[in-house]
Amino acid sequence: QVQLVESGGGSVQAGGSLRLSCVASGNTYDRYCMTWFRQAPGKEREGVAGIYTGGGGPFYGASVKGRFTVSQGYFKNTLYLQMSSLTPEDTGMYYCAIARPNVGDDCLRPPVFRYWGQGTQVTVSS
C-alpha cells in the first residue's frame, strides 16, 4: 500500500508560476514511475510530467514541455513540479501517481497507475 499527498496548488494569474509537491509513503517500489497528471472539468485525465527511477531522465507531456520541470527531492519519496508561464489551459486538479511499470508501459498514461493522491487544485486566471 502506498499513500500519496500533494500540496502547493492555488490560484495564480496567467504568466505566473507555482510549485507542486508530492510525498509518497508506505511500501514504494525499487523501480517505479512517479508522474503528475491533471484533469480539467469535462476533460480526460492527462499525463503532465514524471520520472522513472530505472533511468531515462524525466519525461513530459507535449503541452507542458519547456514550461514545467519535474524533479525528485533529496529524499527520493518526494516529487516536485515547477510550473512556469502558466496559462488558463493549465487549470485543473493535479494528481500525483506511482506505479511499477511493465516493459513497454507509457508512464504518462493513467491506466498504468494503481496508486493516486487526492489532488491539489491549480487555477490560472487570464
Side-chain angles (χ1 to χ4, degrees):
Q1 194 76 9
V2 180
Q3 295 79 41
L4 299 162
V5 179
E6 305 96 335
S7 62
S11 296
V12 64
Q13 288 194 325
S17 300
L18 280 174
R19 189 192 196 207
L20 306 183
S21 300
C22 172
V23 179
S25 61
N27 298 322
T28 56
Y29 311 109
D30 290 337
R31 293 188 177 187
Y32 54 87
C33 285
M34 199 165 173
T35 299
W36 286 100
F37 293 85
R38 67 186 181 188
Q39 189 165 20
K43 293 190 176 181
E44 293 186 353
R45 194 165 293 191
E46 171 192 16
V48 174
I51 56 96
Y52 173 55
T53 61
F59 45 86
Y60 297 90
S63 62
V64 305
K65 274 183 182 178
R67 300 187 300 122
F68 291 11
T69 302
V70 66
S71 61
Q72 273 190 304
Y74 178 81
F75 298 103
K76 298 301 181 183
N77 65 330
T78 303
L79 190 71
Y80 300 104
L81 184 68
Q82 178 67 46
M83 305 185 294
S84 302
S85 302
L86 286 162
T87 74
E89 288 68 38
D90 295 314
T91 294
M93 187 70 78
Y94 282 68
Y95 299 92
C96 179
I98 192 169
R100 184 176 62 188
N102 296 314
V103 174
D105 279 346
D106 180 352
C107 286
L108 282 173
R109 292 188 67 246
V112 171
F113 292 82
R114 178 179 181 183
Y115 297 106
W116 295 81
Q118 293 299 306
T120 186
Q121 177 69 35
V122 172
T123 302
V124 184
S125 57
S126 58

